[in-house]
Amino acid sequence: MRPQSVILTFLGDHVYGRGICVSSGSFIEAFAKVGISEEATRSTLTRMVRRDLLRRQRSGRRMYFGLTPTSTEVLKDGERRIWHSGVVNDADEDRWTLIGFSLPESWQRQRHELRSRLVWAGFGPLQNGLWIAPGDVDAARVIEDLGANVKVFAAEPRHPTDMQALVGDAYDLSGLGERYREFLRRWDRADPAPDAPDDLARSLTLLTDWLQVIRADPRLPLRYLPHDWPAEKAQRVCHALHERFRPEAGRIAERLLDVVPDETWAER
């Protein structure tokens, strides 16, 4: 697991919404439980500060780390995806967002950045320069600051469009389904994560694994997915295990957390 992913999981489960900053020592102790070294933790915290995902706050001789507006938005999105929106899109409406763009051949960096953002936002490629995503996507947030010539439409399929074939062409369904099946192979068992030292480590590993899966899932309409789609079963397993690990994980986290009030909390 990437250290930054684990740190974000930890922040989402134990820091988000509390108005606190956490000492570097607490991060080091928590992440040692999942095999992340002190050096890796310190270097990741530094990188996250540079990326505006964390802010430093000194108290006495100790350095503490708190959330920024950027990381708060990331954690808010993670919370929504895990606990609220769910992995199954069974909406009655068959609405899609279309984005068409044209970039000069010399804009290789912008082209790569735009495609990365489109994938993150749930878009799949229909053809060169034309991408599609289920539902109503706030495309303005995807394309802002890129300076690209982009056109956005809301769309509904019409005959003779074969949407099942279109979805199969635009998205890697076999790869996404395999991600869910791999999650189930690892966690749908009587004794998941048997090598973990405690329930805090199990909880961190579980939710980090789960976020890696669902952040790659565009939540395609269920009507266009294979009948044995494993997402819903995987979600039930994740939620049940989190409830099982949560009480002891919370107690362990409270024992190791060295915190101070976030000086910027009242400003948000």
Side-chain angles (χ1 to χ4, degrees):
M1 295 182 295
R2 294 174 59 238
Q4 179 173 301
S5 298
V6 182
I7 290 176
L8 288 171
T9 299
F10 183 84
L11 292 170
D13 228 18
H14 302 287
V15 177
Y16 174 65
R18 296 181 60 185
I20 58 175
C21 295
V22 180
S23 71
S24 56
S26 295
F27 284 112
I28 291 165
E29 185 177 350
F31 304 138
K33 294 176 179 292
V34 293
I36 298 174
S37 69
E38 177 177 343
E39 179 183 5
T41 297
R42 289 189 184 279
S43 64
T44 303
L45 291 173
T46 299
R47 284 197 302 273
M48 292 178 73
V49 170
R50 289 201 302 264
R51 295 170 180 168
D52 193 36
L53 291 170
L54 288 174
R55 52 171 292 274
R56 291 188 178 98
Q57 180 175 308
R58 185 174 292 281
S59 180
R61 294 186 174 183
R62 294 189 175 182
M63 186 64 70
Y64 293 77
F65 294 86
L67 301 180
T68 65
T70 301
S71 56
T72 298
E73 283 301 310
V74 170
L75 298 177
K76 182 179 180 181
D77 178 65
E79 179 186 53
R80 177 184 59 80
R81 293 194 189 211
I82 294 175
W83 307 116
H84 301 298
S85 62
V87 294
V88 176
N89 178 359
D90 55 3
D92 292 332
E93 293 183 339
D94 199 2
R95 289 181 57 81
W96 298 78
T97 301
L98 285 174
I99 283 188
F101 64 88
S102 176
L103 295 175
E105 287 298 323
S106 59
W107 288 24
Q108 293 299 318
R109 182 189 62 80
Q110 293 93 331
R111 187 184 301 274
H112 175 75
E113 175 68 17
L114 177 56
R115 287 174 173 169
S116 297
R117 292 188 190 184
L118 289 172
V119 170
W120 177 260
F123 284 87
L126 282 183
Q127 58 191 51
N128 187 34
L130 185 62
W131 291 57
I132 189 169
D136 294 314
V137 179
D138 183 2
R141 296 185 62 184
V142 178
I143 63 177
E144 63 183 355
D145 73 31
L146 283 179
N149 179 20
V150 177
K151 299 176 177 63
V152 183
F153 302 89
E156 295 180 358
R158 291 288 186 268
H159 181 77
T161 303
D162 184 342
M163 283 301 295
Q164 194 142 13
L166 184 150
V167 167
D169 289 339
Y171 295 93
D172 179 14
L173 296 184
S174 61
L176 181 57
E178 181 57 26
R179 282 173 175 256
Y180 282 115
R181 283 185 281 271
E182 176 59 30
F183 181 89
L184 286 167
R185 286 192 290 269
R186 183 170 186 182
W187 292 103
D188 189 18
R189 48 198 298 182
D191 184 23
D195 297 331
D198 55 37
D199 279 356
L200 177 59
R202 293 184 183 90
S203 178
L204 283 173
T205 307
L206 170 75
L207 289 184
T208 302
D209 275 359
W210 184 239
L211 276 166
Q212 296 302 307
V213 176
I214 64 176
R215 286 193 186 281
D217 186 348
R219 296 187 74 249
L220 297 163
L222 192 61
R223 63 173 71 88
Y224 302 130
L225 296 175
H227 71 278
D228 57 348
W229 192 243
E232 194 167 19
K233 180 180 180 181
Q235 179 173 263
R236 289 197 303 270
V237 168
C238 176
H239 287 189
L241 287 176
H242 183 262
E243 283 301 302
R244 175 173 147 189
F245 300 149
R246 185 167 61 89
E248 182 60 17
R251 286 189 287 268
I252 295 168
E254 287 304 309
R255 287 198 297 268
L256 66 83
L257 278 175
D258 170 20
V259 304
V260 294
D262 186 337
E263 294 173 351
T264 69
W265 179 250
E267 302 170 6
R268 298 181 193 173

